[in-house]
Amino acid sequence: MKAFDKRSVSRLTLEELFPNTLTDTSCVYIDKGREVWVATEMCAQYLESVVDSIVVVDDNHVPLGIVGGYDLLDNLRKNPTRDFQYETKVEEIMFKVVPEVEKKTKLEDLIEKWKDTRRAFAIIPNELDGYSPISARKMLEIGAKCKTDISVSSMAKKKIVTFQPDDTLGKIIDLMFEHKTRKLVLKNSNQFISDRLILGEISRILKFQTSVEYFLDIPASQLKFEYVKTVTEDLTLDSLCSIMEKMGHPYVMYKDILVSPWDVCLTLLSENLREPLRVGHQKKCPHCGKDI
């Protein structure tokens, strides 16, 4: 087959891209009648994983919607009180659309759907009469199998959004929504805050700081930060994704370029990424990114 006859990766179906792992993980579910604090605690554990959103179900275990960082933080800034967390039901704040896809869904259609909803998450029926999750993080598996010269330096650059050490939680959340990002970098550092870390702090306060009633005034200094992984070489996409797959919370910086799983999703839409994909996982050196 001639090179120009080969299909772009973005036009491959999910079952072609994940022949063995498409439904190897189960969704995490929450009952529609549970309180928001339960969803806050669950999302603090699962965000940025292959799950990345919690599926809200009715009494018959039928999916009604999803709840993730976007939904919880949006409602947190509107209702930043302890009472809201304990008295409001998940069904009142959930995203009332179930983003369900099929094995024949093309990658480009999935990512376009994610762009529209601003939630990089979908579910797909599995062989156990349940559902499996598909998130932005799972797309790293595709990137790691691509044979390509596309490197970090050729990926789309975006403004690095920062926050100050003396900012409040309310200011941080407002910056996230203003710039449509889940992560902010602490100014003049290689540390960052994310929706997952914020929800983890809210969950901790609910349990151990019972005197705190209003959350938006919490100082940034009280929050837990993660470190951005810095790479010194202009890694190719497959090498970059191999490194990010091993990270608990993938976020990489090369010079002035920050890369998250969502940036990888956008790169996978490139016409320059074509068949065939590597079969299985090629082992990479974690330092230089070359095949071992």
Side-chain angles (χ1 to χ4, degrees), residues 23-136:
T23 58
D24 64 349
T25 305
S26 295
C27 287
V28 176
Y29 303 96
I30 185 170
D31 186 86
K32 65 176 183 177
R34 295 307 304 267
E35 299 80 8
V36 169
W37 73 267
V38 180
T40 297
E41 183 168 349
M42 292 174 70
C43 283
Q45 298 178 42
Y46 289 107
L47 292 190
E48 299 181 337
S49 72
V50 293
V51 175
D52 209 41
S53 282
I54 310 301
V55 180
V56 183
V57 296
D58 64 13
D59 296 338
N60 296 315
H61 214 65
V62 175
L64 300 176
I66 61 174
V67 62
Y70 181 97
D71 313 287
L72 290 170
L73 290 191
D74 190 32
N75 282 277
L76 180 64
R77 63 176 181 161
K78 296 173 183 175
N79 303 278
T81 64
R82 180 179 294 268
D83 285 347
F84 176 80
Q85 293 279 326
Y86 284 112
E87 296 174 4
T88 307
K89 306 301 183 184
V90 172
E91 65 179 325
E92 298 176 51
I93 68 158
M94 68 181 182
F95 181 56
K96 296 179 174 63
V97 175
V98 181
E100 186 174 341
V101 294
E102 302 173 343
K103 292 182 178 181
K104 298 296 183 181
T105 299
K106 293 181 180 179
L107 178 63
E108 60 184 356
D109 295 331
L110 172 63
I111 295 178
E112 287 302 324
K113 179 181 293 189
W114 285 351
K115 285 183 183 180
D116 292 339
T117 62
R118 289 186 61 188
R119 293 163 177 81
F121 179 80
I123 65 174
I124 186 170
N126 59 34
E127 293 75 20
L128 301 175
D129 294 326
Y131 295 90
S132 293
I134 300 175
S135 68

Side-chain angles (χ1 to χ4, degrees), residues 131-176:
Y131 295 90
S132 293
I134 300 175
S135 68
R137 184 189 176 108
K138 192 169 181 63
M139 299 300 112
L140 298 177
E141 187 178 327
I142 301 174
K145 295 189 290 186
C146 288
K147 302 174 183 179
T148 178
D149 293 328
I150 293 177
S151 63
V152 180
S153 62
S154 62
M155 298 175 72
K157 289 187 179 181
K158 58 186 178 184
K159 178 182 178 182
I160 298 177
V161 185
T162 62
F163 67 98
Q164 303 282 355
D166 58 350
D167 282 343
T168 62
L169 178 57
K171 175 67 179 297
I172 290 171
I173 295 175
D174 284 343
L175 283 170
M176 287 181 169

Side-chain angles (χ1 to χ4, degrees), residues 1-8 274-276:
M1 182 182 293
K2 296 181 180 179
F4 56 77
D5 289 330
K6 295 176 181 176
R7 290 178 298 169
S8 297
R274 294 181 172 271
E275 297 180 286

